[in-house]
Amino acid sequence: MVKIAVVGAGNGGQALAGYLAMKGFDVSLFNRSKRRISPIIDSHSIRIEGQVVGEYHISFATTNMEEAIKGRKLIMVVVPAFAHKEIAKRMAPYLEDGQIIVLNPGRTGGALEFNNVLKEENVKKDVILAEAQTFIFASRMSNPGVAKVFRIKNAVPVSALPATRNAELEEVLCTAIPEFEIVKNVIYTSFNNIGVVFHPATLILNAARVETTAGKFEFYFEGISQSVAKVLEKIDEERCKVMKLFNADPMTAKDWLNYAYDVRGNSLYEAIRNNVGYRGIYAPPTLDNRYILEDLPMSLVPISSFGEEYGVKTPVIDSIINLANIMMGKNFWKEGRTVKDLGLEGMSIEDIIRLVEEGE
């Protein structure tokens, strides 16, 4: 079996490392700080609760990137998208020919950004870079070394950059985790970014409740009322319009719930209510959370930027970004990924499609 490194030990990284260990893989776990992984360094074990239950042993946990990825065929990056640049820089000196790096997820433009950093760092090794459309689990970490998996998604789209490496990606990744499904190119993973529909607007529109209760309410069931769901539907419409620029058929958020969780509904609100996989997932305790700090600059801003560059208006997305700027005292327009930052300024739609499918 291939050796796997999981880079990032938040709730997702710990859950994924434990899950892969359960399946019999030789797994290493990396985290930038020691605090989250100290118990795992000592015990070499991760306990999973929820849909999967058990305590599973990994090979080791470390804060040393070279040690974590040495000799590992598959490198699963499970960090917030705003950390992708830093992780790419840390990883660059130690990459080996034949390794596969998967961003879980890439959000919007993740693989393009990561690839740009590897170029800047003059990486000459023959590695495959890919991004997933979302994370494979709905999960939370209750304690260091303990993660709860609320639901394993039925399918998660993934693609290599460029798409000419998809067959090699599939041979390794889908053997390890068959829930991954190879799609045409990273347009389909970057712009079918459903987290951007559900997360930031819901948190912004529930700001008072989050701040007065420290998030003690079910995020999807209590935070998404019928009126909030209408806002999410408009964000979804704008996202889909931008994706269509690239001659790609978008998956609506409602269709995605059926694809990932086998749930249906006549409206997005109804489909969310029918998803028992969201039951028991509480809201973040503060606005200072990845639902804003990650999803705003790494998802909403690039979607808006592509829309502006190629003539699609995104007024509802823009309004959420502007509200977040005020609430958080930040300028996500400047912090976020843009067409220019991704190295795509001045390129035609056809040029971008050729880039993601064939490479340079």
Side-chain angles (χ1 to χ4, degrees):
M1 302 180 83
V2 298
K3 291 184 176 181
I4 302 174
V6 176
V7 174
N11 70 74
Q14 291 194 27
L16 183 59
Y19 179 73
L20 290 168
M22 178 199 72
K23 298 181 78 169
F25 289 96
D26 179 327
V27 181
S28 66
L29 178 63
F30 168 87
N31 200 58
R32 289 168 291 178
S33 66
K34 193 173 181 179
R35 178 179 58 85
R36 277 187 173 172
I37 58 171
S38 288
I40 308 171
I41 291 174
D42 296 333
S43 68
H44 289 208
S45 68
I46 296 173
R47 179 163 183 79
I48 305 180
E49 301 171 341
Q51 189 174 350
V52 177
V53 178
E55 189 164 335
Y56 305 103
H57 288 271
I58 65 170
S59 295
F60 62 91
T62 181
T63 58
N64 183 310
M65 179 66 81
E66 181 179 13
E67 180 185 16
I69 69 173
K70 185 176 182 179
R72 304 273 150 178
K73 177 70 173 178
L74 183 58
I75 303 171
M76 302 291 277
V77 177
V78 192
V79 298
F82 54 71
H84 283 165
K85 281 186 178 181
E86 179 191 343
I87 291 297
K89 287 180 181 179
R90 286 197 183 205
M91 195 179 290
Y94 311 118
L95 288 169
E96 303 167 6
D97 286 329
Q99 289 183 315
I100 298 172
I101 306 164
V102 182
L103 307 181
N104 294 273
R107 296 304 176 198
T108 302
L112 288 163
E113 180 184 72
F114 206 98
N115 192 50
N116 287 343
V117 175
L118 296 185
K119 287 180 185 175
E120 291 167 5
E121 297 297 312
N122 201 32
V123 173
K124 300 299 184 183
K125 300 296 184 180
D126 180 25
V127 298
I128 296 174
L129 176 61
E131 68 175 29
Q133 176 257 351
T134 186
F135 188 55
I136 189 171
F137 307 137
S139 60
R140 291 289 187 272
M141 184 175 66
S142 52
N143 288 295
V146 182
K148 183 171 183 178
V149 175
F150 291 90
R151 181 73 186 268
I152 303 171
K153 296 180 175 74
N154 296 335
V156 174
V158 63
S159 183
L161 176 69
T164 52
R165 309 299 298 268
N166 269 344
E168 299 165 85
L169 172 67
E170 182 175 21
E171 183 179 0
V172 175
L173 179 63
C174 299
T175 300
I177 308 176
E179 288 83 3
F180 279 108
E181 181 178 274
I182 303 296
V183 293
K184 186 176 180 181
N185 57 48
V186 295
I187 296 298
Y188 290 82
T189 53
S190 276
F191 288 95
N192 275 326
N193 178 352
I194 305 302
V196 76
V197 177
F198 292 159
H199 296 161
T202 303
L203 197 54
I204 290 293
L205 296 173
N206 281 274
R209 193 174 186 185
V210 168
E211 291 175 333
T212 56
T213 70
K216 290 183 175 62
F217 63 94
E218 289 193 272
F219 186 72
Y220 294 96
F221 285 96
E222 297 179 81
I224 302 179
S225 63
Q226 292 192 47
S227 57
V228 170
K230 290 177 182 177
V231 176
L232 305 190
E233 286 177 330
K234 288 297 181 183
I235 291 171
D236 196 38
E237 286 177 16
E238 292 177 2
R239 174 191 66 82
C240 289
K241 286 179 181 178
V242 173
M243 184 171 172
K244 286 177 181 177
L245 287 167
F246 298 93
N247 300 321
D249 292 326
M251 184 182 294
T252 68
K254 186 160 71 76
D255 288 342
W256 177 82
L257 284 167
N258 183 28
Y259 171 82
Y261 290 108
D262 282 331
V263 297
R264 295 172 176 81
N266 292 322
S267 65
L268 181 58
Y269 172 76
E270 191 175 297
I272 291 169
R273 301 290 296 179
N274 289 339
N275 186 10
V276 296
Y278 287 156
R279 182 63 68 187
I281 299 178
Y282 281 80
T286 172
L287 299 185
D288 192 20
N289 178 270
R290 68 180 180 86
Y291 283 2
I292 291 179
L293 301 180
E294 177 184 22
D295 286 319
L296 258 294
M298 304 299 148
S299 298
L300 284 183
V301 168
I303 289 171
S304 175
S305 177
F306 276 100
E308 182 178 13
E309 183 79 7
Y310 299 105
V312 173
K313 295 186 182 299
T314 56
V316 181
I317 287 175
D318 295 352
S319 68
I320 295 298
I321 297 170
N322 288 329
L323 285 172
N325 284 341
I326 296 167
M327 289 181 174
M328 306 300 292
K330 291 179 175 288
N331 186 342
F332 290 111
W333 295 112
K334 293 185 71 174
E335 294 180 18
R337 292 171 179 161
T338 64
V339 171
K340 181 178 181 180
D341 294 330
L342 294 173
L344 305 176
E345 189 177 37
M347 293 178 67
S348 68
I349 292 292
E350 291 73 21
D351 289 337
I352 294 174
I353 294 172
R354 192 176 305 112
L355 172 67
V356 300
E357 291 189 345
E358 302 172 14
E360 296 181 345

